[in-house]
Structures are given as structure tokens and as C-alpha cells.
Amino acid sequence: MMILRLIIDDAEKARERGLETVNELHNNESFCAGSAGYPVFQLPDEKMLDCQTFRELRDECGARIETDNISKLCLGIGIPRDEPGVTVID
């Protein structure tokens, strides 16, 4: 199973967004069957995590993502491999 966590260090800002400080992202397989076949990741509130949403969370709340599959993450949310705020873990 893929490790994919959205981490927001500021608990107050996380609450304002309806999120926890550590959020497990879900790979929604039902959306993966689309024409492009790219993975789709959802936040716990079932909103899609895309490039714009991640960058807003990063810039406004100091959010970061930890993952063990950078390629799948990049395909899914449309970011480059060297995007600030992404950490690859083992």
C-alpha cells in the first residue's frame, strides 16, 4: 500500500481547513479508470487533492506531503518531481 500523508504543522490552520495535522490521503481507484488513467488522491473530507490545492495548503498553512511513491504522486496531482514540500520516505 502506498504511503501518502499530508502534514500541516499548524493545528489551528489545519482545523480552519477541516483537516487534521496528519492526513492520510486516499487513492480513489474508481476515478483512476478515467481516460488518462492517472491516480486520483482524496483528502479525508473527500475533496480531490490537485496541484492548486496542494500549493495553496503549502503556501498558506506550511503543508507538506510524505510519500514512498513520488512518481504516482506527481502523476496524480500534476506536480514536478522536485516540487517544494514533498518528501520521499522509505
Side-chain angles (χ1 to χ4, degrees), residues 51-64:
C51 179
Q52 180 179 345
T53 303
F54 170 60
R55 289 177 176 166
E56 285 173 7
L57 289 168
R58 182 190 64 208
D59 296 346
E60 295 171 17
C61 306
R64 65 187 189 277

Side-chain angles (χ1 to χ4, degrees), residues 46-81:
E46 297 189 2
K47 291 183 181 171
M48 302 291 186
L49 180 67
D50 58 16
C51 179
Q52 180 179 345
T53 303
F54 170 60
R55 289 177 176 166
E56 285 173 7
L57 289 168
R58 182 190 64 208
D59 296 346
E60 295 171 17
C61 306
R64 65 187 189 277
I65 293 177
E66 291 181 345
T67 185
D68 64 346
N69 190 332
I70 188 75
S71 297
K72 195 169 187 178
L73 172 67
C74 292
L75 278 174
I77 67 174
I79 59 172
R81 293 179 71 86

Side-chain angles (χ1 to χ4, degrees), residues 19-38:
L19 298 167
E20 302 294 326
T21 53
V22 177
N23 303 272
E24 297 293 332
L25 301 177
H26 304 284
N27 183 2
N28 191 327
E29 299 291 342
S30 64
F31 286 102
C32 293
S35 60
Y38 294 127

